[in-house]
Amino acid sequence: MRKHDRTRTAVSLAALSALALSALTGCQASTPEETGPVALVIGNRPAATEEARRDLFDARVKEFQKAHPDYKITTTEDGWDAQTFAARLAAGDLPTVTGVPFTEIRGLIERGQVADITDAVTETGVIDLLNPQIVEIVTKDDHYYGVPTSAYAMGLVYNRAVFEAAGLDPDSPPTTWDEVRAAAKTITEKTGQPGFAQVTTENQGGWVLGTEIIARGGAIVNEAGDAPTFASQQGIDALQYLHDMRWKDGSLSPNGLLSATELAQAFAAGQAGMFILQSDAYQPLTELLGFPAKDFGFAAMPTLTAGEAPVTLSGGNIDIVSPKATPAEAKAAVEWIAFAQLGRYENKEAARAYAEALASQGSAVAIPGLPVVTAERYQEYLEWVSDINTVPLANFAPYLDRVSEQSVVSEPPSRGQDIYAALDPVVQAVITDEKADIVGLLNTASDSVETLLSR
């Protein structure tokens, strides 16, 4: 269920036509260099097995090429691969523009493996469109090294129908951890089902635990990203919280090996009242598992005290430019990113065309989450497509009402998945062993991660 790049499927080829292209003020064709046409190699072309997405991608490229006849555009399926990136960079074999996870951008910047695109994003006006909180992730010393194109923020997913069955108000979900625990206990007492569930496998156990640590004021790693910090009081408290719900309240799912898929299935069947994940969980639940859209609720990350601003973990996709790109090629790459990824936030007609294409395929149009654009721009976008959008925005009000005040923390800049993998068994042990040594488990995991980060 976790997706760094949630590209919608099966949309019509006309959805992002010249409407989106004409919407972008900074995307006029550039004058080719004296040495010849500007070469632009666009990565992440969908594979042939993803026919609808591939056709849409190709249609976007065709429209972009039409507006930029002096560009020599080619495409490739090549995308991010941590194992081959350095070698391909050295060989000059990278696409001009490609997507990478949030977890990788800091390391790429520090190693000089990504282009400084400050001039390009400033000239095209892209930087003014973006969410300042997310822009910080691609910024160093007032220079920009990427364009965020999709993002998620974690929060509290809850079943509105289960809340009603337990006598709880689905329009006023818990806002603090104490309230979550109380609600979970009530759900279990009233329905006989776990009030709360925690994913524990496939690195997602560590990912969600890290989110819960951050929400309590802790951190997964230090600011430099080269040392683990999760073996802290906040880490101890987050695990003790799960332990007490499991062994004292009996309100936490006893499944110690719960995958995201299994969690979704249990939630859809009414066998879990709440869990922590991103709002994008809405799509697989409603579109793949048949969960009623009206019963999906999403709230901001719980806090320690009432009225406190929530803190959430964020991730997503960042489009980067090869450090071997010329200034003209970098500008062309940013123009492509603006057209293909951000055009619908700039123009009402483009937004509606995109939304209509999604709706025609039975897909969610606009799932509220962490916008990559400014709050004002995102709100306007939601208004543009409100009559087309099938997502019940009112059910996301507990999140949207607080989105402007929440703080966003990015994922670990290095070895993020390895860190999460080291924390999976810690969560599993706490849920399956009443006498689990929380401090010892955290310290063992910390030693393991410290060794990984020192390599």
Side-chain angles (χ1 to χ4, degrees):
M1 290 169 58
R2 180 187 181 194
K3 301 178 181 178
H4 282 303
D5 181 12
R6 180 173 55 82
T7 303
R8 304 295 178 78
T9 60
V11 298
S12 71
L13 300 185
L16 288 183
S17 63
L19 289 172
L21 190 62
S22 63
L24 297 165
T25 58
C27 291
Q28 293 81 12
S30 298
T31 302
E33 295 181 327
E34 293 181 1
T35 55
V38 174
L40 176 62
V41 182
I42 303 171
N44 298 113
R45 185 189 187 212
T49 54
E50 300 178 273
E51 184 176 355
R53 286 186 59 207
R54 189 182 183 96
D55 287 346
L56 172 61
F57 179 93
D58 291 345
R60 287 172 170 171
V61 172
K62 183 177 180 180
E63 290 293 339
F64 188 72
Q65 178 71 85
K66 182 179 179 181
H68 299 271
D70 294 327
Y71 290 174
K72 182 181 179 181
I73 300 175
T74 55
T75 63
T76 174
E77 294 181 14
D78 293 339
W80 169 254
D81 185 338
Q83 303 303 316
T84 63
F85 182 86
R88 295 190 62 197
L89 173 61
D93 190 33
L94 289 176
T96 315
V97 57
T98 191
V100 302
F102 275 32
T103 49
E104 304 298 331
I105 191 64
R106 301 311 303 183
L108 294 175
I109 294 172
E110 294 299 329
R111 295 189 296 271
Q113 294 178 321
V114 60
D116 181 339
I117 57 173
T118 304
D119 291 342
V121 296
T122 302
E123 183 178 350
T124 58
V126 168
I127 206 68
D128 297 326
L129 179 65
L130 297 171
N131 181 342
Q133 282 190 313
I134 301 180
V135 169
E136 291 181 7
I137 298 170
V138 300
T139 304
K140 180 182 179 182
D141 299 330
D142 296 324
H143 284 244
Y144 306 116
Y145 295 87
V147 179
T149 58
S150 67
Y152 69 80
M154 306 289 275
L156 179 71
V157 179
Y158 65 100
N159 188 323
R160 292 173 59 88
V162 168
F163 264 53
E164 291 178 348
L168 301 170
D169 183 359
D171 293 327
S172 298
T175 62
T176 68
W177 289 109
D178 286 344
E179 290 174 355
V180 170
R181 182 176 177 183
K185 189 174 181 180
T186 297
I187 289 169
T188 299
E189 292 172 349
K190 298 290 186 180
T191 70
Q193 298 293 340
F196 193 87
Q198 183 92 353
V199 65
T200 66
T201 66
E202 300 171 348
N203 300 358
Q204 296 185 331
W207 174 52
V208 173
L209 176 64
T211 301
E212 293 164 343
I213 292 172
I214 286 170
R216 292 173 174 272
I220 301 174
V221 294
N222 63 359
E223 187 172 352
D226 57 8
T229 57
F230 54 75
S232 59
Q233 187 60 53
Q234 291 89 350
I236 295 170
D237 291 346
L239 287 165
Q240 188 66 50
Y241 179 85
L242 296 174
H243 174 277
D244 291 348
M245 291 178 73
R246 167 73 176 93
W247 299 104
K248 291 184 178 180
D249 302 346
S251 62
L252 178 68
S253 171
N255 188 345
L257 295 173
L258 191 63
S259 69
T261 299
E262 292 167 335
L263 172 57
Q265 292 169 338
F267 184 80
Q271 297 169 359
M274 298 175 284
F275 60 89
I276 298 296
L277 214 64
Q278 77 269 43
S279 61
D280 285 357
Y282 173 91
Q283 192 164 22
L285 279 166
T286 59
E287 296 179 21
L288 300 180
L289 297 176
F291 183 76
K294 65 181 179 61
D295 292 337
F296 185 94
F298 189 69
M301 278 297 295
T303 59
L304 289 174
T305 60
E308 183 181 358
V311 182
T312 185
L313 182 69
S314 173
N317 181 78
I318 294 168
D319 275 9
I320 63 168
V321 176
S322 168
K324 295 184 180 296
T326 66
E329 291 168 348
K331 183 172 181 286
V334 172
E335 289 171 344
W336 161 255
I337 296 166
F339 161 63
Q341 304 284 7
L342 304 174
R344 64 185 179 275
Y345 299 112
E346 280 273 87
N347 179 274
K348 182 177 181 178
E349 292 182 42
R352 290 183 63 81
Y354 185 75
E356 286 168 355
L358 290 172
S360 71
Q361 301 295 331
S363 187
V365 172
I367 303 172
L370 181 63
V372 294
V373 294
T374 63
E376 295 79 12
R377 183 71 70 178
Y378 186 65
Q379 185 59 45
E380 186 173 42
Y381 166 72
L382 291 178
E383 292 171 0
W384 286 342
V385 301
S386 60
D387 62 322
I388 306 171
N389 195 8
T390 57
V391 178
L393 297 185
N395 293 8
F396 291 78
Y399 173 78
L400 291 172
D401 289 347
R402 307 192 71 188
V403 68
S404 63
E405 65 181 275
Q406 74 178 359
S407 297
V408 177
V409 177
S410 60
E411 293 189 271
S414 177
R415 307 297 290 268
Q417 292 303 316
D418 292 328
I419 294 172
Y420 299 148
L423 287 171
D424 270 5
V426 176
V427 184
Q428 294 165 9
V430 169
I431 293 176
T432 57
D433 181 4
E434 185 176 5
K435 296 183 179 180
D437 178 5
I438 291 176
V439 174
L441 288 165
L442 280 173
N443 285 336
T444 298
S446 181
D447 290 344
S448 174
V449 170
E450 188 169 4
T451 299
L452 283 171
L453 295 177
S454 66
R455 291 176 182 171

